[in-house]
């Protein structure tokens, strides 16, 4: 969230070009896949009970209770009333911190703990944005790059021939081709 979008796009393109053998997709079936998706209604789907437990891991429990209690309120306007028990109310004091922290938790869940640690680097020497400490770490997993901008997720995968065939077969088993063009 610290980069403006045009610079973020430039750094993403630079990160893709700096990957090891990213453009060498040969006849053995290797493929490079760029995936873009979105966490739908990320703000509205934050569970306050889970959020409280997660916040207690990093802040004092009284502050965690205060942060979640601010969102667990009744909002009234004229003759309408709404009791919020699920999701964040935007504009409250800790809302931006909560969204960034919850986004970090979602990132770790999407990537897995080991790949997230490899992308971030060790705490003593954290990796630069979209850079790895060494080539072995970079090529050890199909997820080569990952970034999230607020609620949009961008991932770059590189699959070898066997992984590509396996993914295609699994997709065709789940979604059979009615014309049998991809048999």
């Amino acid at each position: 969230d610290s980069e403006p979008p045009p610079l973020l796009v430039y750094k993403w393109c630079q990160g893709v070009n700096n990957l090891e053998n990213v453009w060498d997709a040969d006849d053995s079936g290797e493929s490079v896949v760029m995936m873009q998706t979105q966490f739908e209604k990320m703000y509205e789907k934050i569970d306050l009970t889970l959020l409280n437990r997660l916040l207690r891991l990093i802040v004092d429990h009284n502050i965690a209770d205060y942060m979640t209690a601010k969102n667990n309120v009744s909002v009234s306007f004229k003759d309408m009333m709404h009791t919020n028990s699920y999701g964040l109310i935007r504009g409250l004091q800790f809302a931006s911190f909560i969204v960034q922290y919850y986004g970090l938790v979602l990132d770790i869940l999407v990537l897995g703990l080991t790949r997230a640690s490899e992308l971030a680097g060790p705490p003593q020497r954290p990796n630069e944005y979209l850079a790895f400490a060494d080539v072995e770490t970079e090529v050890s997993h199909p997820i080569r790059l990952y970034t999230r901008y607020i609620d949009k997720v961008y991932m770059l995968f590189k699959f070898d021939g066997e992984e590509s065939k396996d993914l295609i077969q699994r997709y065709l088993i789940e979604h059979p081709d009615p014309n049998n063009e991809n048999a």
Side-chain angles (χ1 to χ4, degrees):
D1 290 348
S2 65
E3 303 286 347
L7 185 60
L8 189 65
V9 171
Y10 172 76
K11 286 188 172 185
W12 177 264
C13 295
Q14 196 174 27
V16 170
N17 281 326
N18 289 338
L19 288 174
E20 184 73 19
N21 298 327
V22 71
W23 303 118
D24 296 341
D26 55 11
D27 294 335
S28 66
E30 287 184 347
S31 59
V32 178
V33 177
M34 164 80 175
M35 183 185 81
Q36 184 248 329
T37 188
Q38 185 173 1
F39 291 129
E40 293 292 325
K41 297 184 179 179
M42 186 170 108
Y43 306 98
E44 291 87 6
K45 291 185 178 180
I46 294 177
D47 181 33
L48 297 176
T49 307
L50 174 64
L51 177 67
N52 188 298
R53 300 284 186 226
L54 290 171
L55 286 171
R56 285 172 177 242
L57 296 173
I58 61 166
V59 297
D60 184 58
H61 68 91
N62 292 320
I63 296 173
D65 290 343
Y66 175 76
M67 292 164 88
T68 52
K70 290 291 262 184
N71 289 291
N72 195 7
V73 295
S74 294
V75 180
S76 61
F77 178 72
K78 294 186 180 178
D79 62 340
M80 299 175 286
M81 189 163 191
H82 170 70
T83 303
N84 186 53
S85 59
Y86 193 71
L88 283 185
I89 298 174
R90 296 183 192 195
L92 290 179
Q93 192 168 14
F94 295 104
S96 64
F97 170 76
I98 290 172
V99 169
Q100 287 182 352
Y101 180 59
Y102 201 75
L104 175 68
V105 171
L106 290 176
D107 293 341
I108 292 171
L109 288 173
V110 167
L111 290 170
L113 196 54
T114 54
R115 192 56 178 175
S117 298
E118 291 171 354
L119 285 170
Q124 301 82 13
R125 277 188 331 115
N127 293 339
E128 290 291 322
Y129 179 63
L130 301 178
F132 289 89
D134 54 12
V135 176
E136 292 81 29
T137 306
E138 177 187 324
V139 299
S140 66
H141 197 277
I143 298 175
R144 300 297 168 91
L145 296 179
Y146 176 89
T147 196
R148 178 183 49 82
Y149 185 72
I150 305 173
D151 60 347
K152 287 190 176 17
V153 176
Y154 302 93
M155 297 175 81
L156 188 88
F157 300 93
K158 183 164 184 188
F159 299 110
D160 62 16
E162 189 174 314
E163 290 171 332
S164 296
K165 289 176 186 170
D166 182 47
L167 280 173
I168 292 169
Q169 280 303 112
R170 286 173 37 198
Y171 180 81
L172 288 175
I173 288 171
E174 290 292 322
H175 305 91
D177 186 9
N179 301 327
N180 291 326
E181 294 173 355
N182 294 317

